[in-house]
Amino acid sequence: MSDLHVDFLGKRLAGPVVGASGTFGFGPEYADIEDLRLLGGISGKGLTLHGQPGNSGERLYETPSGLMNSIGLQNPGVQHFIDHELPAMRQCGTTVWANLGGHTIEENVQGVEMLCASGVDFIELNACDGGCVGGVATVENPYIARVRLQALRRYLPVSENRIPPYGDASFVPDGFLYDSLIQYRPASTLDADMERALEKMSRIEEIYATLPELDCGFCGAPTCRAFAEDVVRGECRPEECIVRMRERVQRMQQEERERS
């Protein structure tokens, strides 16, 4: 029999397959179906520091080509996971992976500290806790993106969901292939100096607290938090927020009326 063990980041895994976060519960739910000791690990359902109830309304939508979901990262929170789900995951006989997302840098840091102290084997950071529409990686106005996705879901023929030629499952477009190794490149480094970077993070939070949190996109940034970061980076001024600009114009008009 082939040896499928894998050495990964100092840990010896039973195999290369890990139960993916969001598809495998916290692991024990599948103990009666499969021998979990054969897995390289189990990545539990995505967590946030304080937990959240998830989205309201319809969460699942069946389509001719699959299933769409809008769960909203419903989860019990890090401390509840440590107290209740983690002990059961440890009994599964494989490595424990915790998937963590956060709304702020501070939440992520605190969550990582708590999970490290709990003794999980791996922490998988969820870079886009708000989903592809509205998360930190959004490069388009989230309202426009939502409308476009809804239109695609409603009108796009199932046949157009596949890459041609339809009969060749091994076909890969040339644009999907790389002729060299992908090089790591930091996407959003605030400063090479860690102390200054932390100061800028705090400044971002201060500016964000003064913004309307509408994420309207009129300033050119996808979200108010992204706009606050642009201000700290020196790429724009706080006065360029369209809501604050309107408030300033209204104050000027009021002062003009009072003078007259």
Side-chain angles (χ1 to χ4, degrees), residues 191-210:
D191 199 287
D193 182 86
M194 181 61 70
E195 185 175 353
R196 293 193 61 188
L198 291 173
E199 291 175 354
K200 290 181 178 180
M201 288 182 186
S202 297
R203 179 60 179 152
I204 289 173
E205 295 300 325
E206 291 174 2
I207 296 174
Y208 178 64
T210 69

Side-chain angles (χ1 to χ4, degrees), residues 25-220:
F26 287 106
E29 299 94 327
Y30 292 86
D32 294 333
I33 301 175
E34 184 58 77
D35 185 353
L36 302 180
R37 295 173 298 177
L38 300 177
L39 293 175
I42 298 172
S43 183
K45 181 169 172 49
L47 302 168
T48 55
L49 180 61
H50 303 295
Q52 55 193 50
N55 294 332
S56 59
E58 186 175 0
R59 294 188 175 191
L60 295 177
Y61 184 86
E62 187 174 359
T63 72
S65 57
L67 187 70
M68 300 179 70
N69 79 75
S70 179
I71 305 302
L73 201 60
Q74 176 180 338
N75 74 94
V78 172
Q79 190 59 58
H80 187 282
F81 164 79
I82 293 172
D83 294 338
H84 300 278
E85 285 77 24
L86 181 56
M89 290 184 73
R90 287 199 175 113
Q91 299 301 314
C92 293
T94 186
T95 58
V96 175
W97 301 52
N99 180 285
L100 175 68
H103 301 287
T104 66
I105 297 296
E106 288 78 6
E107 282 190 15
N108 270 317
V109 171
Q110 187 175 347
V112 166
E113 290 175 342
M114 293 170 66
L115 290 170
C116 284
S118 73
V120 298
D121 296 296
F122 298 96
I123 298 176
E124 179 183 23
L125 291 180
N126 191 337
C128 191
D129 73 283
C132 294
V133 179
V136 296
T138 301
V139 294
E140 184 174 25
N141 181 296
Y143 298 104
I144 295 176
R146 285 192 182 94
V147 171
R148 288 182 175 176
L149 287 175
Q150 289 171 355
L152 283 173
R153 184 182 72 178
R154 188 176 299 114
Y155 300 116
L156 185 65
V158 175
S159 61
E160 293 187 22
N161 291 338
R162 306 170 186 168
I163 300 175
Y166 305 118
D168 184 4
S170 64
F171 172 74
V172 179
D174 292 339
F176 288 9
L177 302 176
Y178 293 87
D179 54 9
S180 61
L181 293 176
I182 299 175
Q183 300 297 317
Y184 166 74
R185 183 177 62 185
S188 57
T189 303
L190 290 175
D191 199 287
D193 182 86
M194 181 61 70
E195 185 175 353
R196 293 193 61 188
L198 291 173
E199 291 175 354
K200 290 181 178 180
M201 288 182 186
S202 297
R203 179 60 179 152
I204 289 173
E205 295 300 325
E206 291 174 2
I207 296 174
Y208 178 64
T210 69
L211 299 175
E213 301 184 27
L214 294 175
D215 297 339
C216 65
F218 283 109
C219 62

